[in-house]
Amino acid sequence: MRKPIIVGNWKMNKGPEEAQKFYIELEKIMDGKTVDVEWAIAAPALSMVSLMADTDKGLYIPLAAQNVHHAKSGAFTGELSLDMLMEYGLEYVIIGHSERREYFNETDETVNLKIKATIANSDLTPIMAFGETEKEFDDKKTLEVVKRQITKGLDGISKEDAKEIVLAYEPIWAIGTGKTATPKQAQDVIKHSRDIVKEMFGKEVSEAIRIQYGGSMKPENIKELMEQPDIDGGLVGGASLDAKSFYKLLTYNKD
Ligand code: PGA
């Protein structure tokens, strides 16, 4: 059984003060209750500390980075290293988000370098995002693009390590647009992605690896998406910014 994993991706939203407000609100809503899913929040680096509990009794929020550099340290202005993320106690790192690919020149090759560095030099779980543009979707190139991104992104990784990676299928035309892929569309591409993992690493890895859906996922549609046999979670932008809405996502399976 694959454990569902829901990750909130705040992108460049919420400074330390707003993050602290979110923390206080979520702590109140959760009120010591646990949820059945694995979860995390990918906040901007400067806001992470606002999501950390002051006391042992405070709410523990698992944290994810939105990006990382593959080098250990050095002259890379504006970047963060794996050691820095680990020192802060982060548990996950999103790699290859479409906005990083589109605006910051990330390629399948840099994504692969980052995944390999994360596995070799940290205990963080990489969440590798991939997905087609609207044009590629219209041109019916989705399956081809997804195959290239997964094959190149996971190139050279061992079976043992591949099992622990989380994949996130995010059709770019559905991100922040309110246009969610239908459960069937998402399921079909995610099933195809699992088949690619099977070709690369075998049946056992393909059955163990978790694949999230991302793109306008929200409390109103999470249930039907999660009912699909191959969808194991969500990478959620807009709907993760509000504590109530985020908690609804974490408890989608409890009525
Ligand atoms: P969205 O973003 O939920 O706002 O569409 C998802 C993402 O980019 O990870």
Side-chain angles (χ1 to χ4, degrees):
M1 262 299 269
R2 299 184 294 265
K3 185 161 192 186
I5 173 164
I6 312 277
V7 176
N9 174 17
W10 283 2
K11 311 187 180 187
M12 200 172 70
N13 294 295
K14 291 194 195 289
E17 228 177 274
E18 277 188 66
Q20 196 186 10
K21 279 190 202 143
F22 178 99
Y23 180 93
I24 293 167
E25 204 183 336
L26 188 64
E27 189 176 45
K28 214 155 117 200
I29 296 170
M30 291 189 76
D31 191 25
K33 296 188 286 280
T34 51
V35 291
D36 302 336
V37 299
E38 196 173 312
W39 63 287
I41 292 179
L46 288 174
S47 308
M48 293 284 185
V49 75
S50 303
L51 296 182
M52 293 177 190
D54 291 336
T55 65
D56 286 352
K57 289 201 185 103
L59 169 68
Y60 177 73
I61 299 188
L63 296 173
Q66 298 179 8
N67 179 36
V68 71
H69 195 281
H70 61 269
K72 195 143 179 61
S73 62
F76 300 104
T77 302
E79 294 291 307
L80 296 175
S81 72
L82 285 156
D83 283 349
M84 294 171 192
L85 304 185
M86 282 196 292
E87 197 176 326
Y88 239 51
L90 271 61
E91 297 182 44
Y92 304 86
V93 54
I94 301 171
I95 293 176
H97 189 280
S98 62
E99 286 146 21
R100 303 275 337 154
R101 294 179 192 252
E102 186 178 352
Y103 308 127
F104 303 98
N105 301 322
E106 294 208 6
T107 61
D108 292 328
E109 286 69 31
T110 58
V111 167
N112 183 247
L113 277 176
K114 289 175 187 216
I115 301 257
K116 281 183 178 156
T118 303
I119 290 168
N121 304 324
S122 83
D123 48 21
L124 274 79
T125 300
I127 301 173
M128 186 182 94
F130 61 96
E132 80 285 7
T133 63
E134 182 146 38
K135 167 132 189 16
E136 288 161 345
F137 175 78
D138 290 341
D139 292 347
K140 308 215 171 336
K141 291 212 170 111
T142 300
L143 301 185
E144 185 188 316
V145 169
V146 160
K147 180 162 189 173
R148 189 202 72 226
Q149 290 174 322
I150 297 177
T151 313
K152 293 197 170 174
L154 300 184
D155 182 46
I157 287 162
S158 73
K159 282 187 186 183
E160 293 67 44
D161 292 330
K163 239 195 279 187
E164 307 301 328
I165 292 173
V166 175
L167 297 179
Y169 168 58
E170 300 201 300
I172 297 171
W173 47 271
I175 295 179
T177 57
K179 272 200 254 172
T180 323
T182 63
K184 184 174 176 338
Q185 275 172 331
Q187 162 61 23
D188 287 351
V189 182
I190 289 178
K191 166 78 174 60
H192 170 75
S193 307
R194 202 177 292 289
D195 289 343
I196 296 161
V197 171
K198 190 172 173 188
E199 272 172 39
M200 292 178 77
F201 303 103
K203 189 162 181 272
E204 198 194 325
V205 176
S206 77
E207 284 174 358
I209 200 165
R210 291 175 297 172
I211 312 182
Q212 300 173 307
Y213 166 78
S216 301
M217 193 184 236
K218 46 189 179 249
E220 298 77 43
N221 61 22
I222 186 169
K223 210 166 170 182
E224 49 176 2
L225 285 158
M226 291 299 292
E227 272 163 14
Q228 303 301 311
D230 286 285
I231 302 184
D232 305 316
L235 185 53
V236 189
S240 72
L241 292 169
D242 173 76
K244 279 194 207 84
S245 151
F246 187 60
Y247 183 67
K248 280 189 190 155
L249 293 165
L250 299 183
T251 51
Y252 74 91
N253 52 358
K254 301 183 181 175
D255 277 319

